[in-house]
Amino acid sequence: MDSELNITYITLGGHVEVDKYRYLYFLMMFTVYFLIICSNSTIVYLIWVHQNLHKPMYIFIAALLLNSLLISTAIYPKLLIDLSEKQLISYSACLFQCFLYYSLNGSEFLLLAAMSYDRYVSICKPLQYHTIMKKTTVRIFLGFAWFVPACQVALPVSLSANTKLCNFTLKAIFCNNSIYKLHCVSSRALTVYSGIFFFNVTLLPVLFIIFTYTKIFIVTYQSRREVRMKAAQTCLPHLLVLISFSFLFTYDVVIVKLELELPKTIHFIMTLQVILYHPLFNPIIYGLKMKEIYNHIRRLFCQRKLHQHINK
């Protein structure tokens, strides 16, 4: 603690042999962050500029990829600074990073739920699609997805701001829910509220997604082969993203709540998966599996190659 400035600093102790592999870690993290920015931004840009992609399904995909960019930006810049200097962060900055991380992760689940509802209406109620999925409806879903988790995470984070700390070393490489283990006294109310938050922005959206995809499966099973193929083409990427994200987020939350003492190296590797795998997985899945987006990506790179060839 810096008594002169009255600032409490937390040591991020989740790194493994950071002094030995500092430059390797930095190069790897910088490369991954660069790829995350480029891949996600490219698809968001394509959806933004092409009129035929101005549909609810693609708008939700753009929002999901933008959300991944925001999550990565909340983590990677500080992570890169930590790899070049000491692994320290002020307690207030740590709480803010924790707030961004969990509110945006909550938004991810709600955006996936909105996407599943869009697919449900499109496949199960095609004649009513344009009546239900209006621009106003899409805006409400997007606002709800970002506003509700932020409000729910703000309360426990603000309550933790003035909580007395008895431990100043966080067993993580960024500020996650293990920050509550630094408190001198464990708050039962905080634990209950965290469970309610997890239920509201994780379990409820997942249950809703399971319900909508069950309905979609029933309808497509009774339809023609062409309908089943089209449904699989649009729904499969969404399910793959949901499964991967649910697994990684559940690990991040449950591993702290159960207080499992995993070897530091395993915990470090799994934490890297949480922040590395998903932001890169999203653009690959949607870029390759969504035909309209893939066609625009192919045209974009073909135009660049043609332009380079003409310049030569």
Side-chain angles (χ1 to χ4, degrees):
M1 178 181 290
D2 191 328
S3 57
E4 186 177 337
L5 298 175
N6 197 27
I7 299 174
T8 301
Y9 286 98
I10 306 297
T11 300
L12 297 169
H15 293 276
V16 176
E17 297 190 42
V18 67
D19 292 328
K20 184 178 180 181
Y21 299 108
R22 185 186 303 274
Y23 298 110
L24 178 62
Y25 286 157
F26 185 90
L27 180 62
M28 184 182 75
M29 294 299 176
F30 181 81
T31 303
V32 168
Y33 186 45
F34 178 77
L35 290 174
I36 288 171
I37 292 174
C38 291
S39 57
N40 285 275
S41 299
T42 299
I43 296 179
V44 171
Y45 168 77
L46 291 173
I47 293 171
W48 177 270
V49 299
H50 293 288
Q51 286 293 327
N52 69 321
L53 297 181
H54 290 185
K55 299 174 184 176
M57 177 174 66
Y58 299 111
I59 291 171
F60 288 133
I61 289 174
L64 196 70
L65 299 182
L66 179 61
N67 201 67
S68 292
L69 274 173
L70 293 173
I71 294 173
S72 299
T73 302
I75 301 297
Y76 278 91
K78 173 57 181 164
L79 199 59
L80 291 170
I81 293 171
D82 289 341
L83 292 172
S84 59
E85 299 176 0
K86 293 182 179 180
Q87 294 79 50
L88 289 176
I89 186 171
S90 68
Y91 182 56
S92 57
C94 194
L95 284 173
F96 183 62
Q97 187 181 57
C98 188
F99 164 77
L100 290 176
Y101 179 68
Y102 285 107
S103 63
L104 291 170
N105 273 288
S107 299
E108 193 100 356
F109 279 105
L110 292 177
L111 287 170
L112 288 169
M115 292 171 68
S116 72
Y117 180 72
D118 174 71
R119 292 299 83 211
Y120 164 74
V121 176
S122 175
I123 295 169
C124 301
K125 300 181 179 180
L127 298 178
Q128 303 174 44
Y129 181 79
H130 294 291
T131 305
I132 296 173
M133 296 304 296
K134 297 180 292 187
K135 288 184 178 180
T136 305
T137 308
V138 174
R139 287 171 187 157
I140 290 172
F141 282 163
L142 293 177
F144 187 85
W146 275 306
F147 182 73
V148 170
C151 290
Q152 293 199 352
V153 177
L155 180 60
V157 169
S158 59
L159 290 175
S160 301
N162 297 317
T163 304
K164 185 179 179 182
L165 305 182
C166 287
N167 186 6
F168 300 93
T169 301
L170 199 68
K171 295 179 181 179
I173 61 175
F174 64 92
C175 297
N176 56 14
N177 62 343
S178 58
I179 194 172
Y180 300 120
K181 299 299 178 183
L182 304 180
H183 297 171
C184 295
V185 179
S186 179
S187 171
R188 182 175 294 179
L190 200 59
T191 302
V192 172
Y193 186 86
S194 298
I196 294 172
F197 167 77
F198 184 74
F199 178 79
N200 286 344
V201 301
T202 304
L203 289 181
L204 275 182
V206 169
L207 290 173
F208 178 77
I209 292 168
I210 292 172
F211 169 77
T212 56
Y213 273 89
T214 301
K215 299 286 273 185
I216 290 171
F217 175 78
I218 293 171
V219 169
T220 55
Y221 183 76
Q222 298 169 348
S223 303
R224 301 188 312 274
R225 185 173 181 274
E226 292 79 9
V227 176
R228 291 198 297 269
M229 291 294 292
K230 186 176 180 181
Q233 186 181 30
T234 58
C235 295
L236 184 60
H238 180 238
L239 285 174
L240 290 174
V241 169
L242 174 67
I243 292 168
S244 67
F245 184 70
S246 298
F247 171 75
L248 294 171
F249 186 74
T250 302
Y251 164 81
D252 180 66
V253 173
V254 171
I255 200 70
V256 175
K257 291 299 179 185
L258 295 181
E259 299 184 7
L260 298 177
E261 290 295 331
L262 295 177
K264 189 176 181 180
T265 303
I266 294 177
H267 187 64
F268 175 68
I269 292 171
M270 286 301 298
T271 304
L272 285 180
Q273 300 302 308
V274 172
I275 62 172
L276 182 152
Y277 177 67
H278 188 67
L280 286 175
F281 185 65
N282 275 2
I284 292 172
I285 286 294
Y286 288 119
L288 296 179
K289 293 293 183 180
M290 303 298 288
K291 187 178 179 181
E292 290 294 329
I293 295 177
Y294 175 74
N295 289 338
H296 283 297
I297 292 174
R298 190 173 59 182
R299 290 192 197 104
L300 177 67
F301 286 100
C302 286
Q303 287 174 0
R304 285 184 178 179
K305 287 180 180 179
L306 181 61
H307 182 70
Q308 290 173 356
H309 181 73
I310 292 172
N311 290 337
K312 288 180 180 180

